[in-house]
Amino acid sequence: PQAYEADETSLKDRLAFIDRYPNAARITRLCMGVSFTALTIGALLGIVQALHRTNVFRGVISSADYYSVLTGHGVLLALFFTIFFLTGIFTWGTSRSLGMGLPSPGFSLGWFLLMLSGAVMTATAIFGGLVGQIPFSADVLYTFYAPLQAHPLFYAGLAAWLVGTWLAGADWIRTYYHWRQDNPNERIPLQMFMIMTTMLMWYIATLGVAVEVLVFLLPLSLGLIDSVDPLLTRTLFWFFGHPVVYFWLMPAYFAWYTVLPKLSGGRLFSDPLARVVFILFLILSTPVGFHHQYADPGVPEGFKFIAMTNTMFLLLPSFLTAFTVVASMEYGARQRGGTGYLRWLKALPWGNPAFAGCALAGMMFAAGGFSGIINAGMNINSLIHNTLWVPGHFHLTVGTASALTMMAISYWLYPQITGKRLQFYGVAQIQPYIWFIGMGLMSNAMHRAGLAGVPRRTAEPQYQQFDFAPVLGSMPEMRLQIAIGGTLLTLGALMFVLVMVGTWLAERGRGRLRVDSHLPEPISGPSDSPRVLDNVKLWFLIAVVLVAIAYGFPIYSMVADGAFNPAAPPF
Ligand code: HEM
Ligand code: CU
């Protein structure tokens, strides 16, 4: 709290964001409100699944409804919670880093409402499946593989939501062009640079899923066509499905690079390195999608190999991030009086929930990165393919690195966009630790159970053979660990929501916000790097060329025999 009060910056910085840019603050609040609503529902579905499939507590749903629940969990958390948060924090970042509001409040509200109505349509289609009388149903999981078929509302909602994200990106980028007119020679502010590269990656990546939904799945579910090619549509999905993981991760990186160093008491170590990392993500995110299709027949091995190679190159920006972020934290700790090789860790503000959440999320991300290397290996992937190992992996990455960072950074950001003091501060302080312990248990047990062959995506994994897994200890023990971990996690999510709702309902006081919103300059600033880094068009072009190399031939060979062949009827 002391560090929070120590605000030595100009009056402009001391004014809360909400007073400077009321419109951007409102859009950010709206996006965060929807995001946290999705988180609440998704977390409740999470505990239902965890207890149901571990056989600890059944009774909320029947096994037949498990797929609707799992679809809701995946879509609400992996798509709506994360990406509504992204649109919120990027709206804030655009205005904050450019020092100007968004040009037209109506347009901004428009894309938000489009995203919201799309999300509501999709959720209605999913949860309609749980209510017998309603003709909707969408138990196709968040990957909606053809020829699984959902109600058209599911796809129409996703399409509307997606177009909303495109318009959001256009809104931020045109704000940038307004800024550019007044600042012809300035370097792009770092946060804006991150937003632009992330959105350009998103424009490339979503092309795949847009074609999949609009050309194939929506017409199929409307009955306009009667079959699709599962391989082609899966390929279009994973064209999008890997880069989407960076869309989840980039808001977290954005926070780790631009806010976490300050929360640690220091400054960002290197602005140029941060730019290099985001360029690498723009270039390499998309031409790797085939690493989700190692088990798919019909994709030439050589192209799987190219995808694997690109994937391993993607480790580079992640290692650069680990270095830069930890170096910034160490610098902060030493500014606060920390010494020694590792003792400086103790000087960090572990009682500040915004800091603690980001730091714990980063630690878990390292573990998730290692299990990700296993997933990415073409040969070793077959050991864990479609087992519980995979959800074990991505609950560390999107489920913690992204999710916990988003929660943690909200403790810092939400007061600035509401003008209110954070309520239930004590609850906020222990919340990241509850999440960390819960995820430690659940994810560890999922990884181990997966190695023993326990499948993912089923309400009934407890066939006899899995309870006698010979090597890795007893499976009942793993099941219990998953159940306890899942319960702690849901508790953690609800604690977060309590703090946010409490703050939302609190009076807007006139006192200081207990949040220091000033973000100091990096130790090594943008002028230490060549200007070509800011040539975003060049990096975008290189990205497009790489995508064409990685995908051109395989997609051509899939459509050469007709885009609907081999023809699979829907079910
Ligand atoms: C799947 C529990 C939070 C994203 C699962 C599964 C469980 C689970 C047990 C595996 C189900 C199966 O394969 O049969 C939980 C609990 C959470 C939680 C208890 C605590 C709140 C999250 C978060 C995210 C997330 C925060 C992302 C931001 C997913 C996704 C799947 C999944 C994408 C895969 C769905 C599929 O296979 O289609 N979760 N989870 N979960 N979870 Fe979570
Ligand atoms: Cu991937």
Short mmCIF file of all heavy atoms in Angstrom, two decimals, residues 5-56:
data_model
loop_
_atom_site.label_atom_id
_atom_site.label_comp_id
_atom_site.label_asym_id
_atom_site.label_seq_id
_atom_site.Cartn_x
_atom_site.Cartn_y
_atom_site.Cartn_z
N GLU A 5 0.72 4.64 -2.60
CA GLU A 5 0.48 6.06 -2.30
C GLU A 5 1.57 6.95 -2.90
O GLU A 5 1.35 8.12 -3.14
CB GLU A 5 0.45 6.28 -0.78
CG GLU A 5 -0.56 5.42 -0.04
CD GLU A 5 -2.00 5.90 -0.19
OE1 GLU A 5 -2.21 6.94 -0.83
OE2 GLU A 5 -2.89 5.21 0.32
N ALA A 6 2.74 6.37 -3.13
CA ALA A 6 3.88 7.20 -3.51
C ALA A 6 3.77 7.64 -4.96
O ALA A 6 4.37 7.07 -5.84
CB ALA A 6 5.17 6.43 -3.29
N ASP A 7 2.97 8.63 -5.19
CA ASP A 7 2.76 9.09 -6.56
C ASP A 7 3.39 10.47 -6.71
O ASP A 7 2.87 11.47 -6.25
CB ASP A 7 1.26 9.15 -6.82
CG ASP A 7 0.98 9.44 -8.27
OD1 ASP A 7 1.88 9.93 -8.96
OD2 ASP A 7 -0.15 9.18 -8.70
N GLU A 8 4.54 10.48 -7.35
CA GLU A 8 5.30 11.73 -7.43
C GLU A 8 5.15 12.37 -8.80
O GLU A 8 5.97 13.16 -9.22
CB GLU A 8 6.78 11.46 -7.16
CG GLU A 8 7.09 10.86 -5.80
CD GLU A 8 6.66 11.78 -4.67
OE1 GLU A 8 6.62 13.02 -4.90
OE2 GLU A 8 6.35 11.27 -3.59
N THR A 9 4.14 11.98 -9.54
CA THR A 9 4.11 12.39 -10.94
C THR A 9 3.27 13.63 -11.16
O THR A 9 2.72 14.20 -10.23
CB THR A 9 3.53 11.25 -11.77
OG1 THR A 9 2.31 10.86 -11.18
CG2 THR A 9 4.47 10.09 -11.80
N SER A 10 3.21 14.03 -12.39
CA SER A 10 2.52 15.26 -12.72
C SER A 10 1.04 15.17 -12.40
O SER A 10 0.48 14.08 -12.27
CB SER A 10 2.68 15.55 -14.20
OG SER A 10 1.96 14.58 -14.92
N LEU A 11 0.42 16.29 -12.33
CA LEU A 11 -1.01 16.33 -11.99
C LEU A 11 -1.82 15.55 -13.02
O LEU A 11 -2.77 14.85 -12.69
CB LEU A 11 -1.47 17.78 -11.96
CG LEU A 11 -2.89 17.99 -11.43
CD1 LEU A 11 -2.97 17.55 -9.98
CD2 LEU A 11 -3.30 19.45 -11.57
N LYS A 12 -1.39 15.65 -14.30
CA LYS A 12 -2.12 14.98 -15.37
C LYS A 12 -2.19 13.48 -15.10
O LYS A 12 -3.22 12.85 -15.27
CB LYS A 12 -1.42 15.26 -16.69
CG LYS A 12 -2.07 14.63 -17.89
CD LYS A 12 -1.57 15.30 -19.16
CE LYS A 12 -1.94 14.48 -20.38
NZ LYS A 12 -0.94 13.51 -20.77
N ASP A 13 -1.05 12.93 -14.66
CA ASP A 13 -1.02 11.50 -14.40
C ASP A 13 -1.81 11.15 -13.16
O ASP A 13 -2.29 10.04 -13.01
CB ASP A 13 0.42 11.02 -14.25
CG ASP A 13 0.99 10.64 -15.59
OD1 ASP A 13 0.26 9.99 -16.35
OD2 ASP A 13 2.13 11.02 -15.87
N ARG A 14 -1.88 12.10 -12.25
CA ARG A 14 -2.53 11.78 -10.99
C ARG A 14 -4.05 11.77 -11.13
O ARG A 14 -4.74 11.12 -10.38
CB ARG A 14 -2.10 12.77 -9.91
CG ARG A 14 -1.42 12.05 -8.76
CD ARG A 14 -1.09 13.00 -7.67
NE ARG A 14 0.19 13.68 -7.93
CZ ARG A 14 0.57 14.75 -7.25
NH1 ARG A 14 -0.22 15.28 -6.33
NH2 ARG A 14 1.72 15.29 -7.50
N LEU A 15 -4.56 12.52 -12.09
CA LEU A 15 -5.99 12.48 -12.35
C LEU A 15 -6.36 11.07 -12.77
O LEU A 15 -5.67 10.47 -13.60
CB LEU A 15 -6.33 13.41 -13.51
CG LEU A 15 -6.86 14.79 -13.20
CD1 LEU A 15 -7.18 15.49 -14.51
CD2 LEU A 15 -8.10 14.70 -12.34
N ALA A 16 -7.41 10.53 -12.23
CA ALA A 16 -7.79 9.18 -12.61
C ALA A 16 -8.13 9.13 -14.09
O ALA A 16 -8.61 10.12 -14.67
CB ALA A 16 -8.96 8.73 -11.77
N PHE A 17 -7.88 7.97 -14.69
CA PHE A 17 -8.16 7.78 -16.11
C PHE A 17 -9.59 8.16 -16.44
O PHE A 17 -9.88 8.79 -17.46
CB PHE A 17 -7.89 6.31 -16.46
CG PHE A 17 -8.04 5.99 -17.91
CD1 PHE A 17 -7.02 6.27 -18.81
CD2 PHE A 17 -9.19 5.40 -18.37
CE1 PHE A 17 -7.15 5.96 -20.15
CE2 PHE A 17 -9.34 5.10 -19.72
CZ PHE A 17 -8.32 5.38 -20.61
N ILE A 18 -10.50 7.82 -15.55
CA ILE A 18 -11.92 8.07 -15.81
C ILE A 18 -12.20 9.55 -16.00
O ILE A 18 -13.10 9.94 -16.76
CB ILE A 18 -12.79 7.48 -14.67
CG1 ILE A 18 -14.26 7.69 -14.97
CG2 ILE A 18 -12.43 8.05 -13.33
CD1 ILE A 18 -15.19 7.08 -13.94
N ASP A 19 -11.43 10.43 -15.35
CA ASP A 19 -11.68 11.86 -15.49
C ASP A 19 -11.08 12.40 -16.79
O ASP A 19 -11.58 13.35 -17.37
CB ASP A 19 -11.08 12.62 -14.30
CG ASP A 19 -11.75 12.20 -13.01
OD1 ASP A 19 -13.00 12.04 -13.03
OD2 ASP A 19 -11.05 12.00 -12.01
N ARG A 20 -9.99 11.76 -17.23
CA ARG A 20 -9.36 12.25 -18.45
C ARG A 20 -10.09 11.76 -19.69
O ARG A 20 -10.28 12.50 -20.64
CB ARG A 20 -7.90 11.79 -18.49
CG ARG A 20 -6.96 12.76 -17.79
CD ARG A 20 -5.53 12.34 -18.01
NE ARG A 20 -5.20 11.18 -17.18
CZ ARG A 20 -4.23 10.33 -17.45
NH1 ARG A 20 -3.51 10.50 -18.55
NH2 ARG A 20 -3.98 9.32 -16.66
N TYR A 21 -10.45 10.48 -19.71
CA TYR A 21 -11.06 9.90 -20.91
C TYR A 21 -12.33 9.15 -20.52
O TYR A 21 -12.35 7.91 -20.51
CB TYR A 21 -10.09 8.94 -21.60
CG TYR A 21 -8.72 9.53 -21.80
CD1 TYR A 21 -7.63 9.04 -21.10
CD2 TYR A 21 -8.55 10.61 -22.66
CE1 TYR A 21 -6.38 9.60 -21.27
CE2 TYR A 21 -7.30 11.18 -22.82
CZ TYR A 21 -6.22 10.67 -22.13
OH TYR A 21 -4.99 11.23 -22.29
N PRO A 22 -13.38 9.88 -20.18
CA PRO A 22 -14.59 9.21 -19.65
C PRO A 22 -15.17 8.19 -20.62
O PRO A 22 -15.64 7.14 -20.21
CB PRO A 22 -15.56 10.37 -19.40
CG PRO A 22 -14.97 11.56 -20.05
CD PRO A 22 -13.51 11.33 -20.21
N ASN A 23 -15.07 8.46 -21.93
CA ASN A 23 -15.66 7.52 -22.88
C ASN A 23 -14.87 6.22 -22.95
O ASN A 23 -15.43 5.12 -22.89
CB ASN A 23 -15.77 8.17 -24.26
CG ASN A 23 -16.32 7.20 -25.27
OD1 ASN A 23 -17.34 6.58 -25.03
ND2 ASN A 23 -15.62 7.04 -26.37
N ALA A 24 -13.54 6.35 -23.07
CA ALA A 24 -12.72 5.13 -23.10
C ALA A 24 -12.89 4.36 -21.80
O ALA A 24 -12.93 3.12 -21.79
CB ALA A 24 -11.25 5.50 -23.33
N ALA A 25 -13.00 5.08 -20.68
CA ALA A 25 -13.19 4.40 -19.40
C ALA A 25 -14.51 3.63 -19.40
O ALA A 25 -14.60 2.51 -18.89
CB ALA A 25 -13.16 5.41 -18.26
N ARG A 26 -15.54 4.21 -20.01
CA ARG A 26 -16.83 3.54 -20.02
C ARG A 26 -16.77 2.26 -20.87
O ARG A 26 -17.25 1.22 -20.45
CB ARG A 26 -17.92 4.48 -20.57
CG ARG A 26 -19.29 3.83 -20.53
CD ARG A 26 -20.36 4.83 -20.92
NE ARG A 26 -20.19 5.23 -22.30
CZ ARG A 26 -21.18 5.34 -23.20
NH1 ARG A 26 -22.41 5.08 -22.81
NH2 ARG A 26 -20.95 5.72 -24.42
N ILE A 27 -16.14 2.35 -22.04
CA ILE A 27 -16.04 1.15 -22.89
C ILE A 27 -15.23 0.07 -22.15
O ILE A 27 -15.58 -1.11 -22.16
CB ILE A 27 -15.37 1.50 -24.24
CG1 ILE A 27 -16.21 2.52 -25.01
CG2 ILE A 27 -15.14 0.25 -25.07
CD1 ILE A 27 -17.52 1.98 -25.52
N THR A 28 -14.14 0.50 -21.52
CA THR A 28 -13.33 -0.47 -20.77
C THR A 28 -14.16 -1.13 -19.68
O THR A 28 -14.12 -2.34 -19.49
CB THR A 28 -12.10 0.23 -20.16
OG1 THR A 28 -11.41 0.92 -21.20
CG2 THR A 28 -11.16 -0.76 -19.52
N ARG A 29 -14.94 -0.33 -18.96
CA ARG A 29 -15.80 -0.88 -17.89
C ARG A 29 -16.80 -1.87 -18.45
O ARG A 29 -17.01 -2.95 -17.90
CB ARG A 29 -16.58 0.25 -17.21
CG ARG A 29 -15.87 0.90 -16.07
CD ARG A 29 -16.83 1.69 -15.18
NE ARG A 29 -17.75 2.57 -15.87
CZ ARG A 29 -17.47 3.82 -16.25
NH1 ARG A 29 -16.28 4.33 -16.03
NH2 ARG A 29 -18.38 4.56 -16.85
N LEU A 30 -17.43 -1.50 -19.56
CA LEU A 30 -18.44 -2.39 -20.15
C LEU A 30 -17.80 -3.73 -20.55
O LEU A 30 -18.32 -4.80 -20.26
CB LEU A 30 -19.09 -1.73 -21.37
CG LEU A 30 -20.05 -0.58 -21.08
CD1 LEU A 30 -20.42 0.15 -22.37
CD2 LEU A 30 -21.30 -1.09 -20.39
N CYS A 31 -16.65 -3.63 -21.24
CA CYS A 31 -15.98 -4.86 -21.67
C CYS A 31 -15.61 -5.72 -20.46
O CYS A 31 -15.79 -6.95 -20.48
CB CYS A 31 -14.72 -4.54 -22.46
SG CYS A 31 -15.04 -3.79 -24.06
N MET A 32 -15.09 -5.08 -19.42
CA MET A 32 -14.69 -5.84 -18.25
C MET A 32 -15.92 -6.45 -17.56
O MET A 32 -15.87 -7.58 -17.06
CB MET A 32 -13.88 -4.98 -17.28
CG MET A 32 -12.47 -4.72 -17.78
SD MET A 32 -11.60 -3.47 -16.81
CE MET A 32 -10.68 -4.47 -15.67
N GLY A 33 -17.02 -5.73 -17.56
CA GLY A 33 -18.23 -6.26 -16.94
C GLY A 33 -18.68 -7.55 -17.63
O GLY A 33 -18.98 -8.56 -16.96
N VAL A 34 -18.69 -7.54 -18.96
CA VAL A 34 -19.10 -8.76 -19.69
C VAL A 34 -18.07 -9.86 -19.45
O VAL A 34 -18.41 -11.03 -19.22
CB VAL A 34 -19.23 -8.47 -21.19
CG1 VAL A 34 -19.62 -9.73 -21.94
CG2 VAL A 34 -20.26 -7.38 -21.43
N SER A 35 -16.80 -9.48 -19.48
CA SER A 35 -15.73 -10.45 -19.29
C SER A 35 -15.89 -11.16 -17.94
O SER A 35 -15.83 -12.39 -17.86
CB SER A 35 -14.39 -9.71 -19.36
OG SER A 35 -13.35 -10.49 -18.87
N PHE A 36 -16.13 -10.40 -16.89
CA PHE A 36 -16.21 -11.01 -15.56
C PHE A 36 -17.50 -11.81 -15.38
O PHE A 36 -17.53 -12.78 -14.62
CB PHE A 36 -16.09 -9.94 -14.47
CG PHE A 36 -14.80 -9.15 -14.54
CD1 PHE A 36 -14.71 -7.85 -14.03
CD2 PHE A 36 -13.68 -9.70 -15.15
CE1 PHE A 36 -13.53 -7.14 -14.12
CE2 PHE A 36 -12.49 -8.97 -15.25
CZ PHE A 36 -12.43 -7.69 -14.73
N THR A 37 -18.56 -11.41 -16.08
CA THR A 37 -19.78 -12.22 -16.03
C THR A 37 -19.51 -13.59 -16.66
O THR A 37 -19.89 -14.63 -16.10
CB THR A 37 -20.90 -11.51 -16.81
OG1 THR A 37 -21.02 -10.18 -16.32
CG2 THR A 37 -22.22 -12.23 -16.65
N ALA A 38 -18.82 -13.58 -17.81
CA ALA A 38 -18.48 -14.85 -18.45
C ALA A 38 -17.59 -15.68 -17.54
O ALA A 38 -17.75 -16.91 -17.42
CB ALA A 38 -17.79 -14.59 -19.79
N LEU A 39 -16.67 -15.02 -16.85
CA LEU A 39 -15.78 -15.74 -15.93
C LEU A 39 -16.58 -16.42 -14.81
O LEU A 39 -16.33 -17.58 -14.47
CB LEU A 39 -14.75 -14.77 -15.33
CG LEU A 39 -13.86 -15.33 -14.22
CD1 LEU A 39 -12.93 -16.40 -14.75
CD2 LEU A 39 -13.04 -14.23 -13.55
N THR A 40 -17.55 -15.69 -14.27
CA THR A 40 -18.33 -16.25 -13.16
C THR A 40 -19.08 -17.50 -13.61
O THR A 40 -18.99 -18.56 -12.96
CB THR A 40 -19.37 -15.21 -12.66
OG1 THR A 40 -18.70 -13.96 -12.50
CG2 THR A 40 -19.98 -15.65 -11.35
N ILE A 41 -19.80 -17.39 -14.72
CA ILE A 41 -20.56 -18.56 -15.19
C ILE A 41 -19.61 -19.69 -15.55
O ILE A 41 -19.80 -20.85 -15.18
CB ILE A 41 -21.43 -18.17 -16.41
CG1 ILE A 41 -22.35 -17.00 -16.05
CG2 ILE A 41 -22.27 -19.36 -16.87
CD1 ILE A 41 -23.09 -16.42 -17.24
N GLY A 42 -18.55 -19.35 -16.27
CA GLY A 42 -17.60 -20.37 -16.71
C GLY A 42 -16.96 -21.10 -15.55
O GLY A 42 -16.77 -22.32 -15.58
N ALA A 43 -16.64 -20.38 -14.49
CA ALA A 43 -16.00 -21.01 -13.33
C ALA A 43 -16.98 -21.96 -12.64
O ALA A 43 -16.60 -23.04 -12.19
CB ALA A 43 -15.51 -19.95 -12.35
N LEU A 44 -18.25 -21.56 -12.58
CA LEU A 44 -19.24 -22.45 -11.95
C LEU A 44 -19.41 -23.72 -12.78
O LEU A 44 -19.52 -24.83 -12.24
CB LEU A 44 -20.58 -21.72 -11.79
CG LEU A 44 -20.53 -20.58 -10.76
CD1 LEU A 44 -21.83 -19.78 -10.76
CD2 LEU A 44 -20.25 -21.13 -9.36
N LEU A 45 -19.36 -23.58 -14.12
CA LEU A 45 -19.41 -24.78 -14.95
C LEU A 45 -18.16 -25.62 -14.74
O LEU A 45 -18.21 -26.86 -14.77
CB LEU A 45 -19.53 -24.40 -16.44
CG LEU A 45 -20.76 -23.57 -16.83
CD1 LEU A 45 -20.70 -23.20 -18.30
CD2 LEU A 45 -22.04 -24.34 -16.53
N GLY A 46 -17.03 -24.94 -14.48
CA GLY A 46 -15.76 -25.65 -14.27
C GLY A 46 -15.84 -26.60 -13.10
O GLY A 46 -15.44 -27.76 -13.18
N ILE A 47 -16.39 -26.14 -11.99
CA ILE A 47 -16.44 -27.01 -10.81
C ILE A 47 -17.43 -28.14 -11.05
O ILE A 47 -17.20 -29.28 -10.62
CB ILE A 47 -16.74 -26.22 -9.51
CG1 ILE A 47 -16.51 -27.12 -8.30
CG2 ILE A 47 -18.14 -25.66 -9.48
CD1 ILE A 47 -16.57 -26.40 -6.98
N VAL A 48 -18.52 -27.86 -11.76
CA VAL A 48 -19.48 -28.92 -12.07
C VAL A 48 -18.78 -30.05 -12.84
O VAL A 48 -18.87 -31.22 -12.49
CB VAL A 48 -20.66 -28.35 -12.89
CG1 VAL A 48 -21.52 -29.48 -13.45
CG2 VAL A 48 -21.50 -27.41 -12.04
N GLN A 49 -18.02 -29.66 -13.88
CA GLN A 49 -17.30 -30.66 -14.67
C GLN A 49 -16.27 -31.41 -13.85
O GLN A 49 -16.18 -32.63 -13.92
CB GLN A 49 -16.46 -29.97 -15.73
CG GLN A 49 -17.15 -29.56 -16.94
CD GLN A 49 -16.37 -28.49 -17.66
OE1 GLN A 49 -16.98 -27.68 -18.29
NE2 GLN A 49 -15.06 -28.43 -17.55
N ALA A 50 -15.48 -30.63 -13.10
CA ALA A 50 -14.37 -31.25 -12.35
C ALA A 50 -14.93 -32.30 -11.39
O ALA A 50 -14.42 -33.41 -11.28
CB ALA A 50 -13.57 -30.19 -11.61
N LEU A 51 -16.02 -31.96 -10.68
CA LEU A 51 -16.57 -32.91 -9.71
C LEU A 51 -17.29 -34.05 -10.42
O LEU A 51 -17.25 -35.19 -9.96
CB LEU A 51 -17.53 -32.18 -8.75
CG LEU A 51 -16.86 -31.09 -7.90
CD1 LEU A 51 -17.87 -30.47 -6.93
CD2 LEU A 51 -15.67 -31.64 -7.12
N HIS A 52 -17.93 -33.74 -11.53
CA HIS A 52 -18.69 -34.79 -12.23
C HIS A 52 -17.75 -35.84 -12.81
O HIS A 52 -17.92 -37.03 -12.58
CB HIS A 52 -19.53 -34.16 -13.35
CG HIS A 52 -20.49 -35.12 -13.99
ND1 HIS A 52 -21.80 -35.24 -13.57
CD2 HIS A 52 -20.33 -36.02 -14.98
CE1 HIS A 52 -22.41 -36.17 -14.30
NE2 HIS A 52 -21.53 -36.66 -15.17
N ARG A 53 -16.73 -35.38 -13.53
CA ARG A 53 -15.91 -36.38 -14.22
C ARG A 53 -14.95 -37.09 -13.28
O ARG A 53 -14.43 -38.16 -13.62
CB ARG A 53 -15.19 -35.81 -15.45
CG ARG A 53 -14.17 -34.73 -15.21
CD ARG A 53 -13.30 -34.53 -16.46
NE ARG A 53 -12.37 -35.63 -16.61
CZ ARG A 53 -11.86 -36.07 -17.74
NH1 ARG A 53 -12.19 -35.51 -18.88
NH2 ARG A 53 -11.00 -37.05 -17.77
N THR A 54 -14.71 -36.54 -12.08
CA THR A 54 -13.90 -37.27 -11.10
C THR A 54 -14.77 -38.14 -10.21
O THR A 54 -14.27 -38.81 -9.32
CB THR A 54 -13.12 -36.30 -10.21
OG1 THR A 54 -14.03 -35.35 -9.66
CG2 THR A 54 -12.05 -35.56 -10.98
N ASN A 55 -16.08 -38.09 -10.44
CA ASN A 55 -17.01 -38.93 -9.69
C ASN A 55 -17.11 -38.54 -8.22
O ASN A 55 -17.57 -39.30 -7.40
CB ASN A 55 -16.56 -40.40 -9.76
CG ASN A 55 -17.75 -41.28 -10.08
OD1 ASN A 55 -18.88 -40.81 -10.11
ND2 ASN A 55 -17.50 -42.57 -10.31
N VAL A 56 -16.64 -37.34 -7.88
CA VAL A 56 -16.70 -36.91 -6.49
C VAL A 56 -18.11 -36.45 -6.15
O VAL A 56 -18.65 -36.77 -5.09
CB VAL A 56 -15.69 -35.79 -6.21
CG1 VAL A 56 -15.91 -35.16 -4.86
CG2 VAL A 56 -14.27 -36.35 -6.31
#
